[in-house]
Amino acid sequence: MDADSERFAFGKNWHDYIAKHFSEERLEVSKRHLLDFLGVENLNGLSFVDVGSGSGLHSLAAFRAGARRIHSFDYDPVSVQTTRELWRMAGEPEHWTVSQGSVLDRAYLETLGQFDIVYSWGVLHHTGAMWEAVRNLAPLVGSPGRVYLALYATELHNDPSPAYWLDLKRRYNAAGWLMKRAMEADYVWRAICGRNVRCLLTLPREVRDYKRHRGMDLYTNVKDWLGGWPMEFAAVHEVVSTAYDSLGLETVNIKLGEANTEYLFVTRGDAGVFGQTVLCPEGRVSPLQTFQGQPLDDVGAGVWIYGTGSGGRNLLADLRRSGVRVAGFLDSFQNGSLMDVPIHRFGDFEPTAPRDGIILVASQLHSSDIIKELIRHGFTRIFDSTRHIMKLAATSGKAAA
């Protein structure tokens, strides 16, 4: 594949975002998101490299958070230009440098030195050589150091499949202006509104509120998602094991989102320095899978639903219609019974539970925290059922919890 011949104009999209949507409020949201995931109050005394700076917003957030040295670079010259505009807005600080460069250019990376925090959000999967890009981060990480990475997750793109999205991106980039607008509208209708006409009434509010998500803009992200090419997907277990084996990093935080999964890694053996707990000892995580299309026969230790809200209830009903027997519900706080199925408090269930049982996570609000907890306790067959529950709610006309 000749990535440059089909590459989406990422830089233009981010330049338009800054020109039309930049505000102090969005910057503050971006800074808070960065600090909260790192688990710190500020970046005082720390060095920070922004690998694929895009709009430059997150580099500026690191500057506002007190980083003592910042370097921002991007492959796209328009992104470099946009990042420099924010650098000038910040008063052209000497301790913040901006340049054009590629994470695939090892000679360039060797000129940068090492940093306390290596940050790359939603970038490496667009390089055309994602795993090479991930491995190339290693020389940038100081010791002790942290890597904050976000990559498109295989687990969250099963229905439609990754192959569907890759084909859609190719068609979007080949389309004319009018067809692009039609594809964007169709995506909003299908993926964001779930084909629910009531969404058309609430969509303007959602557009306004979307800036709470890392300070981003909904329409900018729709174009970035549809147009983002080249493109690859990464499974959680692949990212965690590659970071451990190739970069010498241990996982201390994972957050599954709508598209990207966020990871926080620390240099091996240094989790205690940062007051963090290693999630995956020895860097091994069983694949987090979605259960649609996967056989649920021969389940051995049984099928369990984690979550007793309406999502869990709808999921149970759907499984029963399919002839799948559910052994029980899991809940963070209570024991009891629901729809003639026992509820087990996870703290009571975990010590003696077989690790090869199938656990369908049905709590949409807390799925990331639940999945991390299951990983921590060594469960090996974890299925994120969030998207399936949303489809059930859309087809039934009921809102899932």
Side-chain angles (χ1 to χ4, degrees):
M1 177 188 68
D2 181 354
D4 281 332
S5 66
E6 302 180 51
R7 185 178 294 274
F8 175 65
F10 293 101
K12 181 181 183 302
N13 197 38
W14 292 122
H15 182 271
D16 291 347
Y17 162 73
I18 290 298
K20 298 175 182 178
H21 303 291
F22 175 81
S23 68
E24 286 292 326
E25 182 182 6
R26 291 181 189 273
L27 176 59
E28 180 61 29
V29 170
S30 175
K31 184 182 78 170
R32 181 45 49 197
H33 185 95
L34 171 66
L35 296 176
D36 285 350
F37 196 69
L38 288 169
V40 297
E41 289 298 318
N42 56 63
L43 301 184
N44 293 350
L46 300 175
S47 55
F48 180 96
V49 60
D50 192 350
V51 180
S53 57
S55 67
L57 181 69
H58 310 299
S59 293
L60 180 57
F63 170 77
R64 288 287 184 88
R68 66 172 175 82
R69 177 168 69 99
I70 304 165
H71 183 72
S72 313
F73 71 91
D74 202 289
Y75 178 84
D76 191 309
V78 181
S79 285
V80 175
Q81 173 191 337
T82 306
T83 301
R84 283 189 174 136
E85 289 177 6
L86 295 191
W87 170 74
R88 284 189 285 271
M89 183 186 301
E92 303 184 5
E94 293 184 1
H95 66 286
W96 177 8
T97 54
V98 183
S99 68
Q100 184 176 3
S102 170
V103 70
L104 300 179
D105 184 348
R106 294 183 181 181
Y108 168 76
L109 298 180
E110 289 173 359
T111 68
L112 302 182
Q114 294 188 319
F115 298 83
D116 298 309
I117 299 170
V118 177
Y119 177 85
S120 186
W121 213 102
V123 174
L124 304 187
H125 47 235
H126 290 312
T127 60
M130 178 179 65
W131 293 114
E132 179 184 353
V134 171
R135 289 189 291 270
N136 283 357
L137 295 180
L140 296 176
V141 188
S143 183
R146 285 171 278 195
V147 176
Y148 183 169
L149 187 63
L151 296 170
Y152 281 134
T154 304
E155 294 82 9
L156 297 179
H157 297 95
N158 66 294
D159 188 15
S161 68
Y164 167 87
W165 290 116
L166 295 179
D167 178 67
L168 182 66
K169 289 168 183 289
R170 292 189 187 98
R171 290 190 285 112
Y172 179 88
N173 282 297
W177 184 90
L178 186 60
M179 181 56 71
K180 281 186 170 73
R181 303 294 85 78
M183 293 176 75
E184 291 158 7
D186 183 67
Y187 175 79
V188 170
W189 171 244
R190 292 171 181 267
I192 297 177
C193 287
R195 302 182 183 182
N196 187 334
V197 294
R198 287 178 293 182
C199 173
L200 299 179
L201 300 176
T202 61
L203 188 59
R205 184 181 71 244
E206 291 186 27
V207 171
R208 290 194 303 271
D209 292 347
Y210 195 79
K211 60 189 174 184
R212 297 174 184 170
H213 179 64
R214 299 175 56 247
M216 293 291 98
D217 169 68
L218 179 60
Y219 183 50
T220 300
N221 278 10
V222 166
K223 291 189 292 182
D224 183 77
W225 169 246
L226 291 176
W229 184 262
M231 172 69 191
E232 296 174 73
F233 291 88
V236 170
H237 72 284
E238 295 175 309
V239 178
V240 170
S241 61
T242 299
Y244 187 89
D245 295 335
S246 299
L247 282 74
L249 300 173
E250 296 179 307
T251 307
V252 295
N253 201 2
I254 301 174
K255 180 181 180 182
L256 281 80
E258 294 180 359
N260 282 281
T261 290
E262 297 177 85
Y263 304 87
L264 182 61
F265 305 104
V266 299
T267 42
R268 195 177 302 172
D270 292 327
V273 174
F274 304 113
Q276 302 274 4
T277 301
V278 176
L279 284 180
C280 318
E282 300 182 2
R284 295 292 175 264
V285 180
S286 297
L288 305 183
Q289 298 170 304
T290 51
F291 70 91
Q292 296 89 329
Q294 300 288 336
L296 289 179
D297 53 359
D298 189 26
V299 296
V303 176
W304 303 79
I305 297 175
Y306 202 128
T308 56
S310 62
R313 295 193 295 272
N314 289 343
L315 181 57
L316 173 63
D318 186 58
L319 291 173
R320 282 177 166 173
R321 285 192 295 268
S322 302
V324 175
R325 188 185 72 83
V326 174
F329 284 101
L330 300 178
D331 188 88
S332 299
F333 305 105
Q334 63 176 329
N335 293 296
S337 178
L338 177 64
M339 299 172 69
D340 299 320
V341 172
I343 301 172
H344 300 269
R345 192 177 74 86
F346 182 71
D348 299 330
F349 170 84
E350 181 274 323
T352 59
R355 269 31 184 186
D356 60 345
I358 292 175
I359 300 179
L360 308 180
V361 179
S363 175
Q364 292 175 261
L365 294 178
H366 306 291
S367 62
S368 290
D369 291 336
I370 290 171
I371 289 170
K372 284 191 293 186
E373 190 69 10
L374 292 170
I375 290 171
R376 191 193 307 274
H377 287 289
F379 290 91
T380 59
R381 303 179 73 184
I382 307 165
F383 293 69
D384 184 354
S385 58
T386 300
R387 285 181 177 269
H388 186 69
I389 290 170
M390 292 175 67
K391 288 182 67 176
L392 291 176
T395 55
S396 67
K398 299 177 181 179

